[in-house]
Amino acid sequence: MMKRKPQTVLSVEKKHDIIRMREQGANRTLILKKYDTTVPCLGNIYTEHAEIKRLFQAKTLDISRSRKRTGWLHVTDLEKIVYQLYLRCRQNRIQMTGSEIQKKALEINEKLKGAPDFNASCLWLDNFRYRHRMTDDDVRKDFPIRTTDAMDNFKACFNKLLKDEFTLENVYNVVHTVIMWKGVPEKTSMFNRAKKAGNQQMLEDHITALFCANATGCHKLPILIIGSIGETQGLYNLNTEAFSTIYRANVNAKMNSNIFNEWFRKHFLKSVIERQMKKGRREKTLLLLDNTNLLYDLNDLNRKDKFVTVISIPLSISPLRQPMNCGIIASFKRKFRNQLVTTLASLPLCNTEDDVIDMHDKLDMWDCCSFAYDAWSYVDDAILRNAWDAILNRDVLWSGQYSIKMKYDAVKTIELLHSLPGCERCDEASVFNWFEMDETCDIIMKICTNEVVRDFEDKNVDRVNTNFDDEAGPSHSKVSKMS
């Protein structure tokens, strides 16, 4: 005798969602599969739809009222702000996890002196997602798992492609990343002064930097720096051609498709053609892109030049496995920060803590581009070559040597810091933390958080900017799901 399936107990929220799905045209099979319920149970829910809606609305209102305190941030206002943060992150191609939404809700609640008993619980997150029609596709899984099989398959195909058509000197990788270029170690007078004055935003000034080099390390293209300061606005001495650094300005220093396409056409293709024509002939060239698939159209790029093939690393593979992210960018950032300290240490006026702080304040975008040029020139060819070992199925034998280079960079930087008044307490741990402080998603989320909090403080919460493209919204979004 077949056992009867135990009846599923559904919450008011789930019953309300079933009614909403039915009203939006979802078929019965889909609803049964999603909530693992029975046909008779669905019939009862449909019959009692008016009462279920009333109970759901009453429960939602009770939650809002329970959080309301005189002089505190109302929970519904907090939710609006968190939702604005979510939208801004989506617009910037950053898909938040559920735990990140909860963490940011707590942070914003604290910044705006919200209810002290607010804990951004899982129930709050579920209600937040429900009220804003956010599906599993809108909220990135907290711990995405990538398979080794996907990487092995890609490497096999990639190496076959190279063997059949390309030489390594004509194989390139391009990646862009965010850098907090004025950041300093925590145990410095600059950091302490900014923290006490509530001016840490200065230390978080960021740029986007684009890197491109070939697999043999013999051809490094000039770095593209994207800042938020216009080229003619106060940068009278910004002549980046003087040290072969490309500079472009954009809102929030973000990369966009126009800047990327301009770089591809005017700098990548031009530079590759010039190098190859020194041999008197064009050669087949391969460009490996990251896997965001947001800034470019592969078909369009592949039509630009018949000798150039452009491919993207698959979404099933972590972008951290591509060559630029296997030590090259990390090495650059260490060199960049060493250049910043070198500049401060070489100034004859830096005799006191105030002198150091003042000179650090005066660093501008011209200095940033100069640091980038010097740092890129100091990234040696061995690192550029060795970063391709994993993807080319070569034995990785250089990790120990790389650790020695990291240690060397840290020691030299500590020596320079100790020569500056107010930086004597810097140790190896603080310097390594400084070297690794840049995490693109974290920086963009921090920027967006500051923006929505500032909007709320400057305006009425109902006037917080909601003027986003349709692609920034949930569920129906045109944005591809991030890996």
Side-chain angles (χ1 to χ4, degrees):
M1 181 177 179
M2 186 174 64
K3 292 184 179 180
R4 177 180 295 180
K5 183 179 180 180
Q7 186 172 357
T8 305
V9 179
L10 299 175
S11 64
V12 172
E13 288 83 4
K14 290 181 178 179
K15 290 179 180 178
H16 188 270
D17 190 48
I18 288 173
I19 294 169
R20 181 186 62 81
M21 290 177 67
R22 185 195 188 199
E23 290 174 347
Q24 292 182 352
N27 61 52
R28 188 173 65 181
T29 303
L30 178 63
I31 298 173
L32 290 171
K33 183 178 180 181
K34 179 176 180 179
Y35 286 104
D36 192 27
T37 187
T38 62
V39 174
C41 183
L42 277 188
N44 293 335
I45 292 172
Y46 295 157
T47 302
E48 300 170 1
H49 70 279
E51 179 63 11
I52 291 171
K53 286 184 176 181
R54 186 190 67 78
L55 290 172
F56 177 81
Q57 291 171 357
K59 185 173 182 179
T60 302
L61 185 61
D62 286 342
I63 292 173
S64 297
R65 285 174 175 170
S66 68
R67 298 294 187 191
K68 188 174 182 180
R69 301 288 190 274
T70 303
W72 290 338
L73 179 70
H74 197 299
V75 70
T76 53
D77 289 345
L78 172 63
E79 200 170 288
K80 289 178 183 178
I81 298 169
V82 175
Y83 186 59
Q84 290 304 314
L85 170 62
Y86 165 83
L87 290 180
R88 288 174 193 245
C89 287
R90 282 295 292 252
Q91 190 185 41
N92 284 282
R93 318 305 187 188
I94 300 297
Q95 192 173 16
M96 301 175 74
T97 67
S99 59
E100 285 168 345
I101 292 173
Q102 291 171 291
K103 180 180 177 181
K104 285 298 179 180
L106 289 169
E107 179 184 327
I108 293 170
N109 186 67
E110 182 178 357
K111 281 187 175 183
L112 296 176
K113 296 180 173 58
D117 60 342
F118 175 74
N119 59 8
S121 65
C122 293
L123 176 60
W124 174 86
L125 178 63
D126 289 342
N127 288 329
F128 174 82
R129 291 181 56 181
Y130 180 83
R131 283 190 282 273
H132 295 287
R133 297 168 53 215
M134 295 163 65
T135 68
D136 289 339
D137 287 338
D138 298 312
V139 180
R140 181 165 54 89
K141 291 182 175 61
D142 293 306
F143 302 103
I145 298 174
R146 305 179 188 276
T147 64
T148 55
D149 289 344
M151 185 63 189
D152 291 341
N153 291 337
F154 172 73
K155 287 196 295 185
C157 295
F158 184 76
N159 281 275
K160 185 178 186 304
L161 183 64
L162 298 190
K163 183 179 179 181
D164 293 343
E165 300 188 47
F166 304 96
T167 60
L168 284 182
E169 68 174 12
N170 291 317
V171 178
Y172 294 79
N173 181 212
V174 59
V175 171
H176 67 272
T177 188
V178 176
I179 302 173
M180 290 193 285
W181 76 274
K182 289 192 80 170
V184 292
E186 290 189 4
K187 296 180 180 181
T188 60
S189 55
M190 291 89 78
F191 184 90
N192 293 333
R193 180 73 62 87
K195 187 175 181 180
K196 288 179 181 178
N199 189 30
Q200 285 181 267
Q201 186 174 355
M202 176 193 70
L203 303 179
E204 296 168 359
D205 282 351
H206 68 285
I207 58 168
T208 296
L210 180 143
F211 305 85
C212 184
N214 66 354
T216 60
C218 68
H219 189 202
K220 291 191 295 186
L221 276 73
I223 288 183
L224 167 66
I225 298 293
I226 305 173
S228 58
I229 301 174
E231 295 173 69
T232 59
Q233 297 176 5
L235 296 178
Y236 61 89
N237 60 350
L238 181 60
N239 177 18
T240 55
E241 293 181 359
F243 36 71
S244 300
T245 299
I246 310 161
Y247 181 82
R248 294 293 179 269
N250 192 24
V251 176
N252 281 335
K254 294 187 299 186
M255 173 67 76
N256 62 29
S257 57
N258 290 333
I259 293 176
F260 181 86
N261 287 326
E262 179 196 26
W263 171 85
F264 180 80
R265 186 179 69 257
K266 291 185 177 181
H267 300 284
F268 176 75
L269 290 181
K270 180 180 177 182
S271 182
V272 168
I273 291 171
E274 287 178 352
R275 185 183 68 83
Q276 292 179 350
M277 290 309 295
K278 290 178 181 179
K279 298 180 179 179
R281 68 181 187 280
R282 292 295 308 279
E283 296 175 325
K284 287 187 176 183
T285 302
L286 179 67
L287 178 63
L288 176 64
L289 305 178
D290 63 19
N291 61 15
T292 58
N293 287 322
L294 297 169
L295 295 174
Y296 43 77
D297 182 329
L298 281 178
N299 292 329
D300 180 60
L301 292 178
N302 277 293
R303 288 193 292 265
K304 300 292 185 184
D305 190 303
K306 65 179 182 179
F307 288 96
V308 177
T309 300
V310 185
I311 65 173
S312 174
I313 193 167
L315 283 169
S316 56
I317 298 172
S318 169
L320 298 178
R321 300 297 296 273
Q322 60 185 321
M324 279 292 167
N325 290 326
C326 291
I328 298 176
I329 293 178
S331 177
F332 167 84
K333 289 180 178 180
R334 296 197 305 273
K335 306 293 186 184
F336 181 96
R337 295 195 160 108
N338 181 274
Q339 286 303 113
L340 186 153
V341 179
T342 300
T343 299
L344 294 178
S346 65
L347 296 172
L349 297 178
C350 293
N351 298 318
T352 68
E353 288 189 19
D354 288 340
D355 292 332
V356 175
I357 293 168
D358 184 54
M359 294 310 301
H360 177 262
D361 288 345
K362 291 179 179 178
L363 294 175
D364 59 22
M365 196 54 62
W366 188 91
D367 296 303
C368 175
C369 291
S370 178
F371 299 160
Y373 170 78
D374 290 336
W376 190 225
S377 67
Y378 292 146
V379 177
D380 58 57
D381 295 350
I383 290 177
L384 295 172
R385 291 192 301 270
N386 293 338
W388 290 79
D389 285 353
I391 203 170
L392 293 177
N393 283 328
R394 298 190 300 219
D395 291 335
V396 180
L397 303 174
W398 52 270
S399 57
Q401 184 182 10
Y402 184 76
S403 298
I404 294 173
K405 290 179 181 290
M406 288 178 62
K407 179 80 171 180
Y408 176 81
D409 289 338
V411 170
K412 298 300 289 184
T413 304
I414 291 170
E415 290 177 0
L416 287 168
L417 284 164
H418 285 178
S419 70
L420 293 173
C423 303
E424 299 88 352
R425 293 176 57 247
C426 283
D427 54 19
E428 190 174 279
S430 63
V431 169
F432 273 121
N433 287 337
W434 179 41
F435 283 165
E436 300 172 358
M437 71 187 298
D438 302 298
E439 176 59 46
T440 302
C441 294
D442 291 341
I443 293 173
I444 292 178
M445 276 195 273
K446 184 177 291 186
I447 294 166
C448 293
T449 302
N450 292 336
E451 286 177 351
V452 296
V453 170
R454 187 168 57 249
D455 280 351
F456 176 79
E457 291 176 331
D458 293 345
K459 309 172 186 177
N460 182 279
V461 67
D462 293 326
R463 293 170 57 203
V464 172
N465 180 28
T466 57
N467 187 26
F468 296 118
D469 296 333
D470 181 49
E471 65 177 4
S475 301
H476 55 280
S477 172
K478 298 184 182 70
V479 178
S480 304
K481 188 170 74 168
M482 300 291 285
S483 58

